[in-house]
Amino acid sequence: MTGAGRAVGAGAEQAIGLNTLVRLQRRRPAPEPDRRLTLPDGMTAPLGFDAVAVPDHLGPLVVPRLPRVGCVYADGSRWWWIVPSDSDYALPWPSPAHYATGALSTGTARLIHRPEGTVPYTPPIPLYLALCRATGTAPDWSRAVPA
């Protein structure tokens, strides 16, 4: 034991100095900046647009349940569906879906489906219901309200 009774050697904890913390922070890779999904040439979004991301294994389960499929992007682990802005208003999307305001993606996504015409949207209510079905989640409005 040394000094005020602290053990030195194996198993002893050492304080990390501020300089060490700064060096460690500088070595960490910077997180990828969010990128907005871009619409294909000729597409217009009169209602603005956001995106709903789902794990890529759910994408093929959702497609046959939709009356219309808008622009869909893939980034290797997720499919991103373009929906009108504010499609999350009073609508909690089922887990593991992620609602991305402004259609911000953390990776590089490529377009895998382009609809006919100039409107990029997948209708949000049918998408919501298809995702509920694929995830085994009851739609929010059909759940019992606690007293």
Side-chain angles (χ1 to χ4, degrees):
M1 298 216 168
T2 63
R6 294 186 331 183
V8 177
E13 293 182 27
Q14 290 184 342
I16 296 176
L18 184 58
N19 288 338
T20 302
L21 290 173
V22 169
R23 271 195 315 277
L24 290 172
Q25 179 66 25
R26 287 183 181 152
R27 288 185 194 159
R28 289 179 57 190
E32 269 192 55
D34 289 343
R35 298 180 186 147
R36 186 165 195 200
L37 297 172
T38 56
L39 299 180
D41 289 340
M43 290 267 165
T44 61
L47 302 174
F49 67 97
D50 292 338
V52 177
V54 301
D56 61 356
H57 71 276
L58 291 177
L61 301 174
V62 170
V63 171
R65 300 180 188 277
L66 296 173
R68 179 183 193 281
V69 178
C71 288
V72 182
Y73 299 79
D75 67 8
S77 62
R78 293 169 292 200
W79 282 22
W80 297 80
W81 306 80
I82 298 297
V83 295
S85 291
D86 300 323
S87 292
D88 63 334
Y89 180 75
L91 187 65
W93 288 82
S95 183
H98 167 71
Y99 190 86
T101 301
L104 296 177
S105 158
T106 54
T108 303
R110 62 183 173 77
L111 183 68
I112 60 171
H113 181 267
R114 179 189 173 134
E116 301 265 336
T118 62
V119 180
Y121 305 125
T122 296
I125 299 300
L127 178 59
Y128 172 81
L129 292 171
L131 285 171
C132 284
R133 186 74 181 257
T135 60
T137 305
D140 192 56
W141 55 80
S142 68
R143 295 184 191 144
V145 177

